[in-house]
Amino acid sequence: MNIALIGATGFVGSPVLAELLSRGHKVTVLARTPSKLPAQTGLAVVKADALDAAQVAKAVAGHHAVISAYNPGWSEPKIYDLHLQASQAIVEGVKASGVKRLLVVGGAGSLYVAPGLQLVDTPPFPAAYKQGALAAREALNELKKENTLDWSFVSPPIGLAPGERTGQYRLGADNLLPGQGDQPAGISVADLAVAIVDEIETPRHVQKRFTVAH
């Protein structure tokens, strides 16, 4: 498949790029600084800003699917506004391009830990991640109104960390997946990438949110 990828140099985007290429897909990466990505077989890099819908539309046109792992950075003081601005521009750009399939990588904050209670609204939720998590939740709420695109939204578990690729994971929907004992469930970012590419190759969550964990 021909896949367009946004956020390819980030914590999630880098392993997603590696997973796509390892499976033989052709990948076009949208980057503000194309020189950050070394040349690889199957990889094309185009200069484009995820905050600009017109640039997104031009860059992703003709692809089978778009994956957005966009994150302005947890230390970015304007993370809430930038995240929502990019989310809107990406959705508008993908729609304008004629591509139907969009997978968005979100956060764990919008997963439910109890009926009517999302993780981001619990007292222990770290302040350093709250604005980004609130923006990701709002982006999901906006996507839920979208009926033109075949979108999916993936929320990783709390324990998303570097680690080996096992190719194994559990699937969930809107609730935080339980872990062992008192520990929250986790997953390696490499296996999150496996789940993302699996969803692109074999869609099971069209116009739905899903979560994964080991």
Side-chain angles (χ1 to χ4, degrees):
M1 298 172 70
N2 292 321
I3 311 294
L5 175 62
I6 300 167
T9 59
F11 181 59
V12 174
S14 292
V16 170
L17 174 60
E19 184 69 23
L20 286 166
L21 292 175
S22 74
R23 298 196 197 186
H25 297 295
K26 294 181 179 179
V27 184
T28 300
V29 165
L30 283 65
R32 283 184 295 179
T33 311
S35 59
K36 286 185 177 181
L37 285 134
Q40 297 180 65
T41 301
L43 174 65
V45 184
V46 298
K47 184 175 176 60
D49 189 341
L51 299 173
D52 187 314
Q55 291 186 33
V56 171
K58 182 179 179 181
V60 307
H63 290 77
H64 294 110
V66 179
I67 300 172
S68 173
Y70 175 85
N71 187 326
W74 294 108
S75 61
E76 166 58 56
K78 296 180 180 179
I79 185 171
Y80 182 88
D81 292 336
L82 285 173
H83 191 116
L84 288 182
Q85 185 181 344
S87 296
Q88 181 179 6
I90 290 165
V91 170
E92 289 180 358
V94 174
K95 287 170 69 173
S97 76
V99 178
K100 295 285 289 181
R101 187 75 171 115
L102 169 65
L103 188 149
V104 176
V105 181
S110 59
L111 291 167
Y112 286 89
V113 296
L117 179 63
Q118 291 173 307
L119 180 64
V120 69
D121 295 322
T122 61
F125 196 88
Y129 299 111
K130 188 147 191 174
Q131 290 305 306
L134 290 172
R137 177 170 69 179
E138 183 60 28
L140 172 59
N141 289 337
E142 288 302 310
L143 262 182
K144 287 178 177 177
K145 303 173 187 176
E146 176 57 52
N147 53 24
T148 302
L149 296 175
D150 292 334
W151 61 267
S152 297
F153 186 101
V154 59
S155 287
I158 295 174
L160 178 62
E164 67 174 326
R165 181 194 186 281
T166 70
Q168 303 296 315
Y169 56 88
R170 290 180 289 152
L171 281 168
D174 288 316
N175 296 323
L176 192 71
L177 289 170
Q180 296 291 328
D182 295 333
Q183 297 299 313
I187 196 169
S188 68
V189 70
D191 279 338
L192 174 62
V194 172
I196 287 169
V197 180
D198 284 352
E199 176 64 27
I200 289 294
E201 291 180 345
T202 307
R204 289 183 283 183
H205 303 92
V206 176
Q207 297 190 348
K208 294 178 181 177
R209 184 258 291 275
F210 68 103
T211 186
V212 295
H214 280 149

